[in-house]
Amino acid sequence: MKKTFFFLLGLGLIAGACEFDDLNPEYPFTIVVKTYSDSTRVQNVLVEAAAPVPGNKVWLSGFTNEDGEVNLKYDEAATLSIRASRGERPDYTWIGCAEIRLLPNQQVIKTVYLEPYDSLLIGCSFD
């Protein structure tokens, strides 16, 4: 009886020590958009996420909600460039840039700060 108990206990410890890899992880992230001058959250801002590499095939976008947030999801590990903007390209009125590193099965949150767009300065053009 004791041998059986210790055998089962040993199997339980071995099985509990094994980690299983998630073969299909998700990479969710949230972008919060605020004004640079007073950190007010801004709604209805276009947020674009792209991989800053030649031959880029990653392009995600969405608009911020009433809380100044947009939730996006990708299916691979990546570091993405983020652009938040108001106005139509190339006539932006406000723009903000950031980068985000996605982690498997973890909600990553990044804040992007909007500033008045200056056409004489190089912004975060990744398209």
Side-chain angles (χ1 to χ4, degrees), residues 59-78:
W59 193 273
L60 306 168
S61 66
F63 285 89
T64 56
N65 60 19
E66 301 82 29
D67 297 323
E69 299 178 359
V70 63
N71 295 304
L72 299 169
K73 188 184 326 180
Y74 190 54
D75 57 355
E76 295 183 27

Side-chain angles (χ1 to χ4, degrees), residues 81-121:
S81 293
I82 305 296
R83 176 174 56 206
S85 61
R86 276 261 172 99
E88 294 290 324
R89 193 180 113 217
D91 298 321
Y92 297 118
T93 55
W94 294 84
I95 195 165
C97 311
E99 287 189 353
I100 189 169
R101 181 173 170 243
L102 306 182
L103 300 172
N105 298 320
Q106 295 182 37
Q107 185 74 32
V108 180
I109 300 172
K110 184 71 173 186
T111 301
V112 178
Y113 291 93
L114 289 179
E115 296 185 81
Y117 180 68
D118 184 349
S119 62
L120 298 177
L121 297 176

Side-chain angles (χ1 to χ4, degrees), residues 48-52 56 58-60 81-84 97-98 123-127:
E48 300 165 288
N56 172 18
V58 180
W59 193 273
L60 306 168
S81 293
I82 305 296
R83 176 174 56 206
C97 311
C124 47
S125 178
F126 51 82
D127 51 356

